[in-house]
Amino acid sequence: MLGSATDEFLRAEQASQFILERASLRPRIGLVLGSGLGALAAGLTDPLRIAYKDIPHFPKSTTEGHAGVLALGTLESIPLAVLQGRAHLYEGYSPSQVVVPVRALGRMGVRAMVLTNAAGGINEEYSRGALVVLSDHINLQGQNPLVGPNDERLGLRHPDMTDAYNAQFRQFVREESEQLGGGVFEGVYAAVTGPNFETPAEIRFLRTIGADLVGMSTVSEVIAARYMGMEVLAVSCVSNMAAGMTGEKITEEEVLETGERLASKFLALLRAVLPRIAGYLEIRASSV
Ligand code: HPA
């Protein structure tokens, strides 16, 4: 039966096996590249690329700026599984389809996910082009990838979300961004379904409930990753200030262009932070 917990497990497992049969690399860190940030994958050494359309159960991204390619390669000698592009609820995918790639990486042995996205800035201190590390989220999508019978092989029925965003990883970003000249914020991400950008009244509401950023992705992936016991770092690129804040209308072009403009800054930060995350995972592995 589609959507049952056992099928969730089997889909993740089949996708994972398909990838493992083709790749010699065994990454412990996964990276999801959001809107306009695909160029980050160009920094990989000797990547093996597999199109999502060829991987069993992977969703096909229909969104511009999302290539739909899994690249396995190394960055700073660290093996990485890079998901170039993601599926969104607004494309018509269910939350459990959206998270197949994250679950597949989890079954492959990935233990930490680095998620990136483009988001609208709500916090007045931000400006277009700012990088913001997520400290927490508010799920306003009205949907959740864990709905349905639970499969204990994947995770607990009621996973804790207190430390959804690893505090050590956030610290690594703070320290490394200081080395690189500073300018990284921390904030709370509100997830909506879209696909329309928000109204100014919705943005005032989101600010009132404690959101610093708004976007249409990431939160399902965080929930799925934490459920499976993976650690999470998430970084948003403020592609535009949110509706009603500047007097300007928001355009898709602006969102993609800001991502592209920021790609090299983002890549520099990732190059600095990934070795710290790899070190953390090894320490944890040797302490258990
Ligand atoms: N709202 C929602 N999602 C977004 C935005 C926004 O303003 N910018 C980029 N993704």
Side-chain angles (χ1 to χ4, degrees), residues 118-120 197-198 214-216 239-240 242 250 255:
F197 294 115
E198 299 67 39
V214 58
M216 306 173 192
S239 54
N240 55 280
I250 303 164
V255 171

Side-chain angles (χ1 to χ4, degrees), residues 118-224:
I122 296 176
N123 187 318
E124 312 262 5
E125 285 182 30
Y126 302 168
S127 55
R128 188 177 167 197
L131 292 181
V132 184
V133 179
L134 305 199
S135 57
D136 208 340
H137 73 230
I138 304 171
N139 181 10
L140 296 172
Q141 295 190 314
Q143 297 178 71
N144 188 304
L146 308 184
V147 167
N150 191 51
D151 192 323
E152 293 282 334
R153 287 169 296 185
L154 290 176
L156 297 174
R157 174 74 289 186
H158 299 293
D160 178 70
M161 290 287 149
T162 312
D163 300 313
Y165 299 86
N166 184 292
Q168 278 291 319
F169 292 2
R170 285 154 52 195
Q171 176 74 15
F172 296 155
V173 173
R174 272 196 296 275
E175 289 171 6
E176 297 302 328
S177 67
E178 228 159 82
Q179 294 285 321
L180 293 169
V184 174
F185 296 92
E186 272 207 348
V188 174
Y189 178 94
V192 295
T193 57
N196 58 285
F197 294 115
E198 299 67 39
T199 64
E202 286 166 341
I203 294 303
R204 290 193 296 276
F205 164 74
L206 293 175
R207 186 178 297 117
T208 303
I209 64 170
D212 298 301
L213 296 156
V214 58
M216 306 173 192
S217 68
T218 307
V219 159
S220 293
E221 294 152 31
V222 173
I223 292 170

